[in-house]
Amino acid sequence: MRSEIITLNKSRNVTLTIYLQSVGGEFSYVPKRPAILILPGGGYQFCSDREADPVAMPYLKAGYQVFILRYSVQAHNQWPNPLEDYEQAMCLIRAKAKEWNVYEDKVAVIGFSAGGHLAAAAATMAENKPNAAILGYGVMGKDVKGCNASAPDTVDAVDQYTCPCFIFSTRDDGLVHIDNSLDFMKALSKYQIAFESHIYAFGPHGFSTCDASVQNHNNRDICSRIPNWVEDSIGWLQDMFGGFGEGKLNEAVCKPHVTDNYKAFLSVDCTIGHLLMNAAARAILTYLREQSQGSGTVDDMVQNMTLREAMHWQGVKEEIIVGVNEQLGRIENRI
């Protein structure tokens, strides 16, 4: 494994630590690897070592190329300096994707606390968005003003272009209120962004991987399940990116959006409510209703259900679903 520290901005002491694993040879079935960029927390005053190398290790074990960004803090934390640091790091990773054996479209970001805010900003407002974001007890909402008065509320920045997210925190976090995670998830749900969340019953702020080496387990106020977030996040990334196969990553099993409502063309994987707002699609649904002969109407279903789900529920044959999908696929997704 190769490791190196690259200085991105000398005056602001911004560095990128890289951990690169081999491909080919003994790893003959692995031509490239997905990657993860770690953003430690520290209230925009420092970058925590507890949320740097200890976090890198499990992702290295899972086969990732790993990068740690120590971004602008203290006197240099004025926004958008930290986001510009992220942009520079992500641009470098993707520019060197061939040299560093990285899938440039499989680069995730993980952030903790204030680093969670920066990761959320990367997911919502960066020019070079990650392909997935893992947000650990992040300061995503207005609470960020408490540690960086110039930083924006990332909840308000969530839109249809936000990347899929994995969110974890504890219900009784005394430093970053749980509403930060809940409000961010509500915003993701509004735009049908794929996400997974783990809100543990109790535990302190800043638990990192929650191994005994980084978190004192003599404290009984730590939920025993908290360490599970590490393996769960790796499993989630595999669902989003695909797992290692023979010479390539296997196909992902989870789509970035829950439905096709934001795709360029319509499909049976759009919600019924969305299809009913399009005149051409509404005509197809009306025809389906007329053909149902009293067995129930498609547009009477819950509007958040996809047309595919509704047709399966009604027992429609698969060849008919395929035909309807082909018809809808010729209609531009304009409302």
Side-chain angles (χ1 to χ4, degrees):
M1 182 173 68
R2 169 190 165 194
S3 64
E4 182 183 349
I5 298 177
I6 299 172
T7 299
L8 299 182
N9 189 309
K10 187 174 181 180
S11 65
R12 300 205 302 253
N13 196 29
V14 177
T15 64
L16 183 68
T17 302
I18 67 173
Y19 291 107
L20 302 177
Q21 304 188 73
S22 299
V23 300
E26 292 186 66
F27 304 98
S28 58
Y29 55 94
V30 180
K32 293 189 288 187
R33 297 178 182 275
I36 189 161
L37 174 61
I38 299 171
L39 308 176
Y44 281 116
Q45 297 304 305
F46 67 102
C47 288
S48 171
D49 289 337
R50 295 174 61 257
E51 294 162 347
D53 283 353
V55 176
M57 297 305 126
Y59 292 99
L60 286 167
K61 181 182 177 182
Y64 285 71
Q65 310 290 36
V66 178
F67 305 86
I68 302 171
L69 176 65
R70 287 178 169 85
Y71 49 87
S72 298
V73 295
Q74 293 185 341
H76 303 297
N77 71 7
Q78 183 74 21
W79 203 264
N81 283 353
L83 186 60
E84 289 176 351
D85 298 337
Y86 158 82
E87 297 273 21
Q88 187 178 1
M90 185 60 77
C91 282
L92 182 62
I93 292 168
R94 287 182 170 144
K96 288 185 171 288
K98 185 176 181 180
E99 176 185 344
W100 288 349
N101 301 309
V102 167
Y103 288 102
E104 59 184 292
D105 61 344
K106 313 274 186 204
V107 184
V109 64
I110 179 170
F112 301 83
S113 194
H117 170 267
L118 182 53
T124 57
M125 59 185 70
E127 290 185 18
N128 299 282
K129 289 182 174 63
N131 302 106
I134 300 172
L135 311 174
Y137 40 88
V139 196
M140 274 91 81
K142 296 178 176 61
D143 288 353
V144 71
K145 301 298 181 184
C147 62
N148 189 337
S150 65
D153 180 340
T154 61
V155 172
D156 290 341
V158 173
D159 62 14
Q160 70 192 72
Y161 303 108
T162 300
C163 69
C165 295
F166 180 100
I167 298 169
F168 66 95
S169 55
T170 59
R171 172 63 185 87
D172 64 346
D173 187 321
L175 188 60
V176 176
H177 197 276
I178 190 61
D179 282 352
N180 284 269
S181 294
L182 298 178
D183 290 345
F184 199 83
M185 286 189 283
K186 186 175 181 180
L188 293 173
S189 179
K190 176 182 177 182
Y191 290 98
Q192 299 185 342
I193 307 298
F195 72 88
E196 180 169 323
S197 67
H198 296 264
I199 309 301
Y200 298 100
F202 55 95
H205 184 76
F207 48 75
S208 183
T209 58
C210 210
D211 295 315
S213 60
V214 296
Q215 177 66 53
N216 185 357
H217 281 215
N218 290 329
N219 182 350
R220 295 185 178 181
D221 295 329
I222 300 177
C223 176
S224 63
R225 297 178 299 280
I226 287 178
N228 295 346
W229 78 260
V230 178
E231 289 302 318
D232 285 341
S233 69
I234 291 170
W236 177 78
L237 283 174
Q238 182 171 316
D239 287 345
M240 300 305 308
F241 289 171
F244 288 105
E246 187 62 43
K248 62 179 181 179
L249 292 183
N250 295 323
E251 187 175 350
V253 298
C254 187
K255 298 189 296 185
H257 284 86
V258 177
T259 72
D260 283 356
N261 283 4
Y262 293 104
K263 291 233 175 141
F265 291 85
L266 299 177
S267 79
V268 293
D269 292 308
C270 294
T271 62
I272 292 170
H274 186 78
L275 292 171
L276 287 172
M277 291 189 289
N278 183 292
R282 190 165 57 247
I284 294 174
L285 266 64
T286 299
Y287 174 78
L288 292 174
R289 179 186 59 198
E290 291 171 349
Q291 298 300 307
S292 64
Q293 299 180 347
S295 62
T297 63
V298 172
D299 51 314
D300 284 337
M301 303 298 297
V302 177
Q303 292 212 350
N304 287 331
M305 180 180 285
T306 66
L307 180 58
R308 183 188 300 274
E309 290 171 327
M311 295 176 83
H312 279 161
W313 185 80
Q314 289 186 314
V316 176
K317 294 181 178 179
E318 190 62 33
E319 55 266 31
I320 295 177
I321 297 176
V322 170
V324 172
N325 193 49
E326 289 176 353
Q327 293 180 62
L328 291 172
R330 292 191 284 268
I331 302 173
E332 287 191 64
N333 193 359
R334 294 178 179 177
I335 302 300

